[in-house]
Structure formats: structure tokens, C-alpha cells
Amino acid sequence: MGGMSGRDWLEWHDYYDEPGSPMHRRLLAVQEQVGRALDRCAPGPVRLVSMCAGQGRDLLPVLAVHPRRDDTTARLVELDGRNARVAADMAREAGLDGVEVVVGDASATDVYAGAVPAEIVMVCGVFGNITDDDIERTISFLPQLCAGGATVIWTRHREEPDVTPSICRWFAEYGFEQLAIVPPPGPADFGLGTHRYLGTAEPLRRGEQLFDFVGRRALRSRQAGQSERPV
């Protein structure tokens, strides 16, 4: 995953603690959608997977107080071991015995074996750090993670060029219907979407890589370099 783009992802989580900041508002918006997704799940066991889960702040506080907490098994995949330890500690303190935190590469399909098909798939903090081609590739793979009727929750910044329309089109092409696109109050400095999978679960193809985690800063540099090239 490109060395996690050279950023300190433990320190990055501090931005969640700044009330009113884009990160704080995005966190609250994702937590709301997680609660709604859990509400939609049919009675019985609920599976959940989270790509690049970080410290699990967008999921664990919601799951801890939700009526479906004891029905839910979740696999959180996070490459940074420090963040994974924070998530594991949070889950343990909340008594969430069904939560498994895996230190691993979320772009590798093998890491999802045994945890899918899932009723909820979280792809938060991913699309803004990978190329457009890899966004589409990841979306095309989601039917292998999703049970029929599953909810996918995703985020991506809204900076120009805003890829949100393309993301929604790709979801539609690969068998999903749009449930919500959530702009924040104030400037549209982040985007959040939820989609429902209309198909049936596909077999998991192991041994593949979904994306290269380039990082938002590196992507900006690439775009700037391209715009400066003579036509």
C-alpha cells in the first residue's frame, strides 16, 4: 500500500477531536449512517467489514450502544499497528466480543476470507487516497464482500475534480442502488455515500490487490504535474 503514503496515521486521528472541523463532521455523519445500516439489517447474525478501519471511531461507539451489537461480528482491517491497538482496546472496553481487529493490508483480497459476505461494508477514508481507476476496481470487487441487500458506506473529499458522480455511476454499473449522498452542513469539504447491493454474493477471489494507497497529497501532486504539462 505504498508505505501508507508516508503519513503519520496515528496523529491524523487527532483531527477527529476538533469540534466543527471537516473531520469531526464527517465522523458524525458516518456514525449516523452506520446506525441506519444496522437498523436495516434483518433479524439474525450481522456481518460487517471495514477497510482501512483506523481506530474504528466511526463504527465502535455506534455498535457499542446499538440493539444489534450482540448480533454483529465485525472485522476491522488496519495496516497501522498503533491504530489497530487503539481499535482493539476500544472494542474490548465496550465488551464487543464479536469485533476482530486485523493488522493487515486492506487492499489484499485474502484479508477478507472468513468474514464475508457481509451485511455492512465500510470503505471510509479510502477513495480519497487512491486513483480513479483503483476506485472503480474496488467498487467492482465489492459484490465479493457483500451479501444480498448489503449496505456499503463510503467517503471521499469533494475537491475538484469531484469524482462523486463517477463513483455513483460505478456503483450502479456493478449492481448497487444509491441510498444517500450526504453533503455536510456548510462547505462541501467531504462527501459520504451509502449504496445497497441488489445482487447476490459472488465468490471471493483470493490473491488479488484492489488498490495502491497512494495518499491524498501524492495524488494532488500528480494532478498538479499533469496540469502543468504542455498540450
Side-chain angles (χ1 to χ4, degrees):
M1 292 176 62
M4 291 288 285
S5 75
R7 192 164 192 169
D8 188 328
W9 291 100
L10 181 69
E11 181 181 280
W12 178 86
H13 283 75
D14 293 343
Y15 293 110
Y16 279 141
D17 298 324
E18 298 179 7
S21 69
M23 287 294 297
H24 181 74
R25 290 187 286 112
R26 191 187 83 170
L27 175 65
L28 297 179
V30 173
Q31 288 176 339
E32 180 180 0
Q33 292 302 317
V34 170
R36 291 183 179 184
L38 287 166
D39 291 342
R40 284 193 294 269
C41 289
V46 176
R47 281 183 163 185
L48 184 152
V49 295
S50 179
M51 293 183 176
C52 301
Q55 297 176 1
R57 294 200 202 183
D58 48 8
L59 165 65
L60 297 175
V62 180
L63 186 58
V65 298
H66 197 277
R68 304 303 303 275
R69 56 169 283 156
D70 294 330
D71 297 331
T72 303
T73 57
R75 180 174 295 179
L76 281 61
V77 182
E78 169 58 34
L79 189 60
D80 189 306
R82 301 167 301 168
N83 285 324
R85 284 191 293 273
V86 172
D89 289 344
M90 189 184 304
R92 183 175 60 254
E93 290 168 4
L96 295 171
D97 297 333
V99 172
E100 173 190 21
V101 181
V102 174
V103 179
D105 183 351
S107 72
T109 61
D110 285 4
V111 78
Y112 303 104
V116 296
E119 281 68 39
I120 301 173
V121 177
M122 299 181 64
V123 193
C124 298
V126 178
F127 290 165
N129 291 287
I130 64 179
T131 65
D132 293 358
D133 286 345
D134 279 355
I135 294 175
E136 182 180 7
R137 175 171 168 78
T138 301
I139 293 171
S140 75
F141 175 76
L142 291 176
Q144 298 177 49
L145 300 186
C146 289
T151 299
V152 176
I153 304 170
W154 58 270
T155 62
R156 197 215 186 248
H157 62 79
R158 302 297 296 272
E159 294 178 2
E160 293 296 336
D162 184 6
V163 187
T164 301
S166 295
I167 291 174
C168 293
R169 184 179 73 252
W170 292 327
F171 268 104
E173 289 174 357
Y174 291 105
F176 293 81
E177 69 171 349
Q178 181 177 308
L179 298 178
I181 298 294
V182 183
D189 43 20
F190 75 86
L192 164 65
T194 59
H195 285 73
R196 179 190 288 120
Y197 182 48
L198 300 178
T200 56
E202 298 181 2
L204 180 68
R205 294 196 307 270
R206 302 187 61 168
E208 297 190 18
Q209 182 178 356
L210 300 178
F211 53 81
D212 178 19
F213 197 95
V214 178
R216 186 169 173 180
R217 293 173 179 170
L219 288 172
R220 283 175 177 168
S221 297
R222 287 185 185 182
Q223 291 169 351
Q226 289 171 354
S227 65
E228 293 168 1
R229 293 174 184 171
V231 176

